Amino acid sequence: MIPYLDLHTINAPYEADIKQALLDVVDSGWYLFGQQVSAFEQEWADYNGARHCVACANGLDALRLVLRAWIEMGYLKRGDGVIVPANTYIASILAVSDNGLVPIPVEPDPDSYLIDPRTIAQLLEDPKSSPAYPVAKDVTIRAILPVHLYGQRCEMEVIDELAARYHLLVLQDSAQSHGIKAKGTCAWSFYPGKNLGALGDAGAVTTDDEELATVIRQLAFYGSERKYVHHFKGVNSRMDELQAAVLRIKLRDLDRANARRVAIAGRIAQEVSNPSLVLPKAKANHVYHIYPVLTAHRDALQRYLLDQGIQTQIHYPLAPHQQKAYNEWQALHFPITEKIAAQELSIPCNQSMTDDDVSKVIAALNAWII
Ligand SMILES: Cc1ncc(COP(=O)(O)O)c(C=O)c1O
């Protein structure tokens, strides 16, 4: 069986170093707010070319904390609108709702599946013509939340230009895109299956904005500037020393692991020629957290691949506007998003695969007949 993602094999090259680092943390007797987290924050900021990094408990918290900080700083107020991609993992959108802000979904680009600057511009310039108008009509839009979905970098130059023109904040959901080195304020998840994954939950924010970093750090520590002095009604969201120690070890190898993913994706793009399958259009800045294949016969393809000994996953079978959690969006229609939700199948594409595994996946995709 070729597993979709075998975390044991992915982590095997680091096993000895990880075990030693975990033992060192245990021996140190220091489990939170220690050297490992500080060092990881510095190393992750440096890796991304960001001035600040604040570690936190998970990716959803990272997104939530940035939005909450902007509320505390007076840049956002409850009820303001945040433009989000209609096709994302629901966490991107939950972070907005959870802060009392209004997520406004827009369609992705049909080729890249990334939030489309053209649908953002349509919403800003001619709101009535946007499918999101019923949600946006009484709302002041103050921010854009692009998601580097599947590991591919959004068109940030165009998005940043639109944001500057309309005085909007930009928060990048980078949960799936470790390694693309986007500038600006980014929220990260280090969920175990991510390209840089911990052995449990962990998250972080990177930013060049010193005040934002300071407010996030306080919000994540009960709103406290220092022990027992509370400026905000904060939360508890922190990365522990054990996770930071693991991430520091794996970070040293992130570029190599991503390069292997890119090489596998390159082979698939070059060697799969089945006209029934839509492969992602190659873009330079992509770390292939997910390799999505689209077909109108998704379930049949999934069954067939399983019969061939190849495990797959679906990201994501229902779009947020099709979920009960967002039943206020029931009347909205996003044809591109709905098509992706109905047709996407994620095939294995990661550094634990051998060349032989990749050849088997390619051969199976080429041999598939509807
Ligand atoms: C796009 C996206 N945003 C946010 C998250 C949330 O991250 P976490 O699971 O660490 O809370 C995830 C992953 O789970 C994700 O894929």
Side-chain angles (χ1 to χ4, degrees):
M1 176 67 71
I2 300 173
Y4 176 70
L5 188 67
D6 174 1
L7 290 181
H8 185 261
T9 312
I10 288 212
N11 287 328
Y14 323 113
E15 198 177 303
D17 286 349
I18 286 177
K19 283 181 174 162
Q20 187 55 55
L22 295 180
L23 273 179
D24 290 347
V25 173
V26 173
D27 287 346
S28 77
W30 196 278
Y31 310 123
L32 291 167
F33 304 113
Q35 280 172 5
Q36 294 295 335
V37 170
S38 307
F40 176 70
E41 286 180 333
Q42 188 62 53
E43 287 161 13
W44 189 235
D46 290 348
Y47 177 84
N48 288 291
R51 290 182 53 211
H52 306 278
C53 172
V54 183
C56 64
N58 56 63
L60 175 59
D61 275 5
L63 289 161
R64 272 202 294 226
L65 284 164
V66 174
L67 295 169
R68 173 74 195 279
W70 279 337
I71 291 173
E72 297 296 347
M73 291 161 78
Y75 297 142
L76 290 176
K77 62 178 183 340
R78 306 212 191 259
D80 283 346
V82 179
I83 299 174
V84 296
N87 63 317
T88 180
Y89 181 55
I90 201 161
S92 323
I93 295 178
L94 291 174
V96 177
S97 316
D98 191 59
N99 272 295
L101 301 163
V102 181
I104 304 175
V106 296
E107 283 273 56
D109 176 289
D111 291 329
S112 68
Y113 318 137
L114 298 174
I115 194 166
D116 188 345
R118 285 148 289 270
T119 60
I120 299 175
Q122 179 193 18
L123 176 66
L124 295 169
E125 284 157 16
D126 181 15
K128 284 193 173 155
S129 72
S130 165
Y133 182 66
V135 183
K137 65 178 186 310
D138 300 319
V139 169
T140 308
I141 295 173
R142 295 240 187 256
I144 309 176
L145 197 159
V147 181
H148 303 302
L149 195 72
Y150 304 151
Q152 187 174 184
R153 188 175 182 277
C154 297
E155 290 178 68
M156 289 312 299
E157 294 73 16
V158 193
I159 293 171
D160 285 341
E161 204 268 318
L162 272 171
R165 191 164 357 128
Y166 288 90
H167 309 291
L168 306 177
L169 300 157
V170 179
L171 166 58
Q172 297 165 64
D173 182 337
S174 301
Q176 302 189 356
S177 61
H178 311 80
I180 64 161
K181 311 243 170 109
K183 294 268 160 238
T185 297
C186 295
W188 304 93
S189 161
F190 304 108
Y191 178 80
K194 302 299 190 204
N195 286 29
L196 181 60
L199 301 188
D201 276 318
V205 174
T206 49
T207 184
D208 288 337
D209 183 335
E210 187 169 356
E211 188 191 353
L212 177 65
T214 304
V215 174
I216 290 172
R217 201 174 283 289
Q218 294 181 9
L219 283 170
F221 183 52
Y222 310 104
S224 179
E225 183 216 358
R226 63 201 134 86
K227 226 172 177 185
Y228 308 132
V229 179
H230 301 270
H231 288 183
F232 308 108
K233 298 185 185 78
V235 298
N236 170 12
S237 181
R238 48 205 179 204
M239 185 187 289
D240 63 61
E241 289 285 286
L242 295 168
Q243 299 307 335
V246 171
L247 290 171
R248 291 185 68 201
I249 291 164
K250 292 181 70 179
L251 174 56
R252 300 199 288 260
D253 199 36
L254 176 61
D255 286 344
R256 188 204 58 83
N258 278 340
R260 175 70 182 148
R261 285 176 183 261
V262 171
I264 294 170
R267 265 197 71 192
I268 298 170
Q270 215 161 35
E271 295 176 40
V272 172
S273 56
N274 189 331
S276 309
L277 303 175
V278 178
L279 305 185
K281 309 275 179 297
K283 286 261 168 106
N285 217 334
H286 202 325
V287 290
Y288 293 96
H289 173 58
I290 288 168
Y291 191 100
V293 170
L294 262 57
T295 164
H297 306 276
R298 188 244 318 269
D299 295 348
L301 178 62
Q302 185 167 42
R303 274 196 305 275
Y304 159 84
L305 287 174
L306 199 57
D307 286 346
Q308 303 289 311
I310 299 166
Q311 241 179 25
T312 55
Q313 283 192 11
I314 296 171
H315 296 94
Y316 301 93
L318 285 178
H321 73 283
Q322 300 171 311
Q323 304 278 356
K324 194 171 162 209
Y326 284 95
N327 61 4
E328 67 269 35
W329 291 352
Q330 249 168 27
L332 301 186
H333 283 297
F334 297 104
I336 302 170
T337 296
E338 287 158 25
K339 180 177 164 193
I340 297 168
Q343 300 198 353
E344 195 275 346
L345 189 68
S346 310
I347 60 169
C349 178
N350 61 72
Q351 66 272 28
S352 75
M353 295 169 76
T354 63
D355 287 344
D356 193 42
D357 291 337
V358 181
S359 299
K360 281 190 186 132
V361 171
I362 291 169
L365 289 173
N366 278 331
W368 184 56
I369 304 165
I370 301 164

